[in-house]
Amino acid sequence: MEKRISGHTGLMGLFGTPVGHSGSPAMYNFAFQHDGLDYAYLAFDVNVDEMAKTFEAIKLFNMRGGNFTMPCKNIAAELVDKLSPAAEIIGACNVFVNDDGVITGHITDGVGFVKNLELSGFNVKGKKTVVLGAGGAATAIQVQLALDGAQEVKIFNIKDDFYARAEGTKAKLAEKCPECLVTVDDLADSAKLADAINNCDIVINATIMGMKPHQDVTLVDKSLFRKDLVVADTVYSPEKTKMIVEAEEAGCKAIGGKGMLLQQGVVNYDLFVGKEFPTADYEAFQAEQAK
Ligand code: NAD
């Protein structure tokens, strides 16, 4: 690695707090080294009130690109020069790219999710979708499904603080993607949920349920699974949630959250350097490191 760093090395980085646990520096630096690219990626612990200065630094140091994480994704969307269509609808960005001083903000959670579905053989165009959740991941997925031509996005959430966000997403999509039918209902209405799942092509869990320490929970009763239903989870820890295991047992196409995570990195890398992320080699590297 040290041999790679020179007086010309370009800087990329992650901004937010906390960032110490992030896997992004290892991932992108592996790829830069792998592809012989003269960049280095570091994590910077900054809070919302330091973001204006952060943007000055990004421009001063001519950083090519990077990522924003919590709690800085929303303020970043206010500070960039341009926003991708999804980032504009959501009002948040997790990726930036600096083209000759013009900074564009993107949000790639939803893009990564949809790309992973495609790699699993499912194209969202014209499809009826049910999305459980209204938090960060769910909203990004709902917006991307609508932008990519899904026919329906039926949102179900518990009546917590996120419910209003789902209503907001519905209103924004009615304006930006009027051809996509978006509905919002209470997750506790099990008859409505059952009806929506019986009439959809794909059901997606984008809540924290199923994730450790809720790994014994599934929000979809397995009696609703049928062989032609696609079942997808955003949760990647555990790699196979209870919902995914039950969907597989019922003969559904079941797609776990790990692929979404990986595909986000692939999408981001393409935005940063216009190259395909070396997925297979990185996975082999990770497996070696885990020994
Ligand atoms: P968030 O905190 O923004 O949203 C939490 C969601 O969970 C809300 O919709 C909330 O209403 C719902 N929820 C909370 N308690 C619930 C309960 N008891 N019953 C039903 N719903 C409940 O979280 P987030 O950042 O959107 O993350 C959601 C999930 O997506 C997490 O499991 C996270 O690991 C996963 N995720 C995966 C990826 C990936 O790349 N695979 C990326 C981002 C997030």
Side-chain angles (χ1 to χ4, degrees):
M1 162 73 88
E2 288 75 12
K3 282 186 194 156
R4 216 169 49 81
I5 306 292
S6 75
H8 301 283
T9 304
L11 182 62
M12 298 207 209
L14 169 69
F15 300 95
T17 186
V19 290
H21 65 287
S22 172
S24 295
M27 178 177 160
Y28 294 116
N29 286 318
F30 172 87
F32 296 150
Q33 187 167 21
H34 179 278
D35 289 345
L37 296 173
D38 197 7
Y39 290 111
Y41 186 111
L42 297 176
F44 299 96
D45 198 301
V46 296
N47 217 322
V48 172
D49 58 358
E50 293 163 315
M51 283 296 281
K53 278 193 277 180
T54 295
F55 269 74
E56 284 176 25
I58 287 171
K59 290 198 174 181
L60 182 66
F61 298 147
N62 196 25
M63 293 180 70
R64 164 63 190 154
N67 296 92
F68 303 111
T69 187
M70 295 305 289
C72 299
K73 292 185 192 182
N74 298 94
I75 181 80
E78 293 173 23
L79 293 166
V80 295
D81 301 308
K82 292 201 299 192
L83 286 167
S84 72
E88 190 183 340
I89 295 173
I90 296 164
C93 54
N94 67 329
V95 173
F96 73 92
V97 178
N98 181 356
D99 292 303
D100 301 322
V102 178
I103 299 184
T104 305
H106 300 259
I107 187 139
T108 54
D109 308 55
V111 189
F113 179 80
V114 169
K115 194 167 184 310
N116 186 49
L117 292 186
E118 276 165 17
L119 290 174
S120 307
F122 184 86
N123 188 317
V124 304
K125 196 165 172 56
K127 297 298 192 316
K128 295 181 175 177
T129 72
V130 170
V131 185
L132 313 181
T139 305
I141 288 169
Q142 288 150 7
V143 168
Q144 201 60 43
L145 289 172
L147 285 170
D148 288 349
Q151 186 186 133
E152 286 180 1
V153 177
K154 293 197 162 176
I155 305 172
F156 286 84
N157 205 74
I158 56 170
K159 288 267 180 141
D160 62 0
D161 291 348
F162 289 97
Y163 198 86
R165 195 195 292 200
E167 301 274 21
T169 302
K170 178 181 161 181
K172 283 185 212 157
L173 289 177
E175 189 193 322
K176 300 277 184 187
C177 304
E179 59 295 339
C180 178
L181 172 73
V182 181
T183 61
V184 180
D185 285 289
D186 187 354
L187 186 63
D189 188 340
S190 43
K192 212 162 209 171
L193 178 64
D195 183 58
I197 293 177
N198 285 333
N199 290 292
C200 78
D201 300 294
I202 182 168
V203 58
I204 299 155
N205 174 46
T207 74
I208 55 168
M209 304 317 283
M211 183 172 81
K212 290 173 188 166
H214 309 290
Q215 67 268 35
D216 296 332
V217 180
T218 173
L219 298 177
V220 182
D221 192 281
K222 61 182 179 186
S223 67
L224 293 169
F225 291 147
R226 45 173 219 278
K227 284 197 168 53
D228 63 343
L229 180 70
V230 177
V231 178
D233 215 323
T234 57
V235 175
Y236 53 85
S237 176
E239 207 170 311
K240 280 191 184 184
T241 58
K242 187 175 181 196
M243 183 184 79
I244 290 294
V245 170
E246 290 182 349
E248 280 179 347
E249 284 168 2
C252 305
K253 181 185 265 296
I255 303 168
K258 197 179 158 205
M260 170 189 178
L261 190 65
L262 194 62
Q263 288 311 314
Q264 272 183 72
V266 171
V267 172
N268 297 351
Y269 194 65
D270 184 35
L271 285 169
F272 294 153
V273 298
K275 277 182 174 277
E276 192 172 335
F277 186 80
T279 307
D281 287 345
Y282 182 59
E283 283 184 329
F285 168 75
Q286 275 186 311
E288 194 59 38
Q289 296 283 103
K291 275 182 193 166

